[in-house]
Amino acid sequence: SSPLSRHEPPDTHRRPFPRAPGQLRLANCAVCTACMGLVLSFPGEVFGRIGHYESYAYSVLKDYGTWSIRRYAPAVAVETTGTGGGDDGSFMKLARYIGVFSKPENTTQSTASSSAPMAIAMTTPVISESVAVAMTTPVISDPGAAMKFVLPSKYRSAADAPAPTDPNVRLVDVPERAMAAIRFSGRCKGCQDPVAIERYQELLRLMCELGLEPAGVWELHRFNPPYTLAPFRTNEVLVPVAQDALTKLGLKMGE
């Protein structure tokens, strides 16, 4: 397997979103900092550039050309469950937590009597989790499905990250895991989008050819802001793979 790294797609398929307040360190005002980040990164992001963002770390265990099996490192994420407003509503809750274009809706977890909110850098991708509805075809997205932002790697556990002040937003520790992944470009509105469902079904077929079965719900990873042109957008569908399935293929999670 390849060394664990902060993987980036090629320049024509790179990743995205307004730079988070504090990342530029030019001002104490979160709104001003975020706006400055957007101005500086916007031209490249239109054409899919996202290398200036930290990304969810993984190593490739096996590359099959059109798809791969990856080992994702343990991480900390902030998540919310849809309670109305769809993907846009969920995204804005998470964006407010890290402080994109607003005062961060969080408080540092410390023993100090006064804990100020802390701006957190935006990372990629934005993760949407699909919830299968029994006895239906195709699998569709449930209104209660979760959306996640993976936090910067400096946060080693949920206890290290600023606590959300919105009761509908929570921190979670994401364990090491193996995932089958397939990448595609173009616009994708969410797990319920026919394009995402088609890629999910394609990935299932490819997995089935190797005798692999899903070990949980599938995810949609999206890397670009709305203004990125469709041909330069990067999206991925991922399906969890069980440890025993890896063993049958002669693969190891490793370090």
Side-chain angles (χ1 to χ4, degrees), residues 133-197:
V133 180
M135 303 303 292
T136 63
T137 302
V139 175
I140 62 174
S141 180
D142 185 271
M147 177 179 283
K148 294 182 177 71
F149 286 1
V150 175
L151 299 187
S153 57
K154 68 178 183 179
Y155 298 110
R156 310 304 293 180
S157 73
D160 297 333
T165 55
D166 183 339
N168 294 312
V169 176
R170 56 197 168 274
L171 294 168
V172 294
D173 288 304
V174 182
E176 175 188 62
R177 54 192 186 149
M179 305 285 283
I182 189 167
R183 180 174 293 168
F184 61 101
S185 60
R187 294 196 175 276
C188 183
K189 297 179 180 179
C191 293
Q192 76 286 355
D193 192 309
V195 174
I197 294 170

Side-chain angles (χ1 to χ4, degrees), residues 76-84 86-99 102-107 109 118 120 145-151 158 161-173:
V76 178
V78 59
E79 73 172 13
T80 188
T81 302
T83 54
D87 272 8
D88 288 345
S90 294
F91 180 87
M92 289 310 299
K93 288 178 186 177
L94 300 179
R96 287 193 291 267
Y97 164 77
I98 67 173
S102 68
K103 179 180 178 181
E105 294 186 0
N106 64 53
T107 180
Q109 302 187 59
M118 179 181 296
I120 301 172
M147 177 179 283
K148 294 182 177 71
F149 286 1
V150 175
L151 299 187
T165 55
D166 183 339
N168 294 312
V169 176
R170 56 197 168 274
L171 294 168
V172 294
D173 288 304

Side-chain angles (χ1 to χ4, degrees), residues 48 63 134 180 211 233:
D63 188 348
R233 302 182 71 82

Side-chain angles (χ1 to χ4, degrees), residues 7-20 23 34 37-38 40-56 91 95 98 100-101 120-127 148-150 183 186-187 221-229 232-236:
H7 271 255
E8 299 177 9
D11 287 341
T12 55
H13 289 288
R14 304 190 98 188
R15 313 173 187 175
F17 295 105
R19 187 186 299 267
Q23 192 172 358
L38 178 60
L40 295 178
S41 62
F42 177 82
E45 290 180 358
V46 168
F47 295 99
R49 181 178 181 273
I50 54 172
H52 48 297
Y53 296 99
E54 183 177 357
S55 190
Y56 189 9
F91 180 87
I98 67 173
V100 175
F101 301 125
I120 301 172
M122 184 71 197
T123 66
T124 63
V126 172
I127 300 173
K148 294 182 177 71
F149 286 1
V150 175
R183 180 174 293 168
R187 294 196 175 276
H221 291 196
R222 287 173 287 179
F223 296 89
N224 305 94
Y227 47 81
T228 298
L229 299 176
F232 302 100
R233 302 182 71 82
T234 298
N235 313 290
E236 295 178 333

